[in-house]
Amino acid sequence: AIDGAVFFEKTPGDDVMGMILENTDKVDPRDYDIAFSALPSSVAKDVEARFAKYIPVFSTASAYRYEDDVPVLVPEVNSGHVKLVDAQRANRGWRGFVVPGPNCTTVGLVVSLKPIFDAFGVKTVRMVSMQSLSGAGEKGLRADSPYRKKVEMNVYPWIEGEEEKVVKETNKLLGKLVDGRVVEAGIDVHATCTRVYVDRVHTEVVDVVTERPATLEGIRAALEEFRSEPQELDLPTNAAWPIMVLDDVDMPQP
Ligand SMILES: NC(=O)c1ccc[n+]([C@@H]2O[C@H](COP(=O)([O-])OP(=O)(O)OC[C@H]3O[C@@H](n4cnc5c(N)ncnc54)[C@H](OP(=O)(O)O)[C@@H]3O)[C@@H](O)[C@H]2O)c1
């Protein structure tokens, strides 16, 4: 087993066990073409900057999400924001860059909102999330973790910083790039985020007030017909359509 690994129930296969683990302090980014970072944000700020000086860094951490020259990217929603990378390189003197993805609850929300936003405009969003334990990382999934015990057979209504992230990131992602900066979408977003005793997959209940009149059929068509740049590019690991509309009375379920 890997020293300190507490997460796997079984020893992983050779593809994982054969990987070389190195302390990030000892890694010279110039030896690599690209970096994927899944670090706690407190650590990501320094480590990602050190790498971005030389190579592109794609990150799950929130460390850089709210900086003006950093796009938070969801390819189905705002691929045009990638142009911010030029400003980022110029501002910081980096040869690489940092491009973070959004918070895990925001990603599903913005993909679902995007077709409605484009077709009808969006004034107000009220969302309640039921987020799985996987969203808390290792501490959510490890059987003996105190955090998991708190959520066991429970609904736990406190995910630090999550509601603020949903508000900020939704407006940044649906914002427009004007003169090299993102003008936020100006949506009045209200978020209540809870952790539930489900291992994987977040579920959300979302009320939307549109700017222009919308019918149920119109919303349904906008969601079902939605295709975006990843579909146009026919990327190999991409879903053929980003949104599925389900009619069963007991769906969706995680
Ligand atoms: N889980 C999700 O669904 C999700 C979704 C979106 C974004 N994020 C973000 O993605 C990041 C990772 O989340 P996670 O859920 O994967 O967390 P996690 O399970 O707690 O994993 C964090 C990892 O970072 C490593 N680490 C900590 N300090 C380090 C350092 N100084 N140098 C190198 N590695 C270090 C940890 O290694 P050790 O175990 O050896 O300490 C651990 O493997 C966080 O910023 C989180 O907010 C997570």
Side-chain angles (χ1 to χ4, degrees):
I2 304 167
D3 269 357
V6 285
F7 193 25
F8 295 104
E9 283 165 17
K10 285 190 282 182
T11 302
D14 290 344
D15 52 336
V16 174
M17 296 305 284
M19 285 182 180
I20 297 166
L21 291 182
E22 293 246 46
N23 190 313
T24 46
D25 294 342
K26 299 209 175 101
V27 176
D28 184 342
R30 285 168 288 194
D31 294 337
Y32 298 88
D33 298 325
I34 190 169
F36 296 97
S37 162
L39 293 168
S41 280
S42 51
V43 177
K45 195 97 199 179
D46 291 341
V47 176
E48 291 179 2
R50 200 161 61 72
F51 278 67
K53 212 169 159 187
Y54 300 103
I55 59 173
V57 179
F58 296 92
S59 174
T60 57
S62 62
Y64 286 93
R65 281 184 205 151
Y66 312 117
E67 304 208 359
D68 285 346
D69 58 358
V70 176
V72 179
L73 272 193
V74 175
E76 278 80 2
V77 174
N78 66 336
S79 55
H81 288 193
V82 82
K83 293 193 189 105
L84 275 184
V85 160
D86 297 336
Q88 191 188 128
R89 283 175 149 158
N91 292 347
R92 297 169 193 252
W94 288 348
R95 263 193 268 155
F97 53 80
V98 178
V99 169
N103 155 274
C104 49
T105 311
T106 308
V107 67
L109 179 66
V110 285
V111 171
S112 314
L113 285 176
K114 173 71 174 166
I116 301 171
F117 182 80
D118 287 348
F120 304 104
V122 171
K123 232 185 331 200
T124 307
V125 169
R126 298 187 194 91
M127 69 83 87
V128 178
S129 70
M130 290 150 274
Q131 302 182 210
S132 65
L133 286 153
S134 63
E138 179 263 341
K139 79 175 194 295
L141 291 172
R142 185 162 42 81
D144 62 352
S145 112
Y147 182 84
R148 192 176 166 96
K149 292 271 174 254
K150 276 198 274 200
V151 185
E152 196 172 339
M153 307 302 282
N154 198 3
V155 173
Y156 187 70
W158 175 241
I159 309 174
E160 194 173 358
E162 197 81 346
E163 290 155 359
E164 291 85 346
K165 287 177 183 172
V166 172
V167 174
K168 278 195 278 190
E169 294 176 23
T170 301
N171 276 300
K172 183 166 181 176
L173 273 145
L174 291 171
K176 253 200 200 124
L177 194 67
V178 181
D179 296 333
R181 56 181 292 270
V182 175
V183 177
E184 293 194 351
I187 302 169
D188 191 15
V189 180
H190 303 257
T192 299
C193 296
T194 71
R195 188 79 66 200
V196 293
Y197 197 55
V198 166
D199 271 345
R200 289 175 205 282
V201 181
H202 297 356
T203 308
E204 295 173 27
V205 177
V206 183
D207 286 345
V208 180
V209 179
T210 57
E211 287 194 336
R212 297 179 289 283
T215 59
L216 189 56
E217 295 73 41
I219 299 262
R220 185 188 185 100
L223 294 171
E224 284 182 334
E225 288 159 17
F226 179 62
R227 304 284 183 279
S228 195
E229 188 159 347
Q231 287 71 42
E232 282 157 26
L233 294 173
D234 197 20
L235 302 177
T237 57
N238 203 62
W241 60 92
I243 297 174
M244 287 172 77
V245 178
L246 303 169
D247 287 314
D248 310 62
V249 288
D250 60 350
M251 293 298 273
Q253 297 178 10

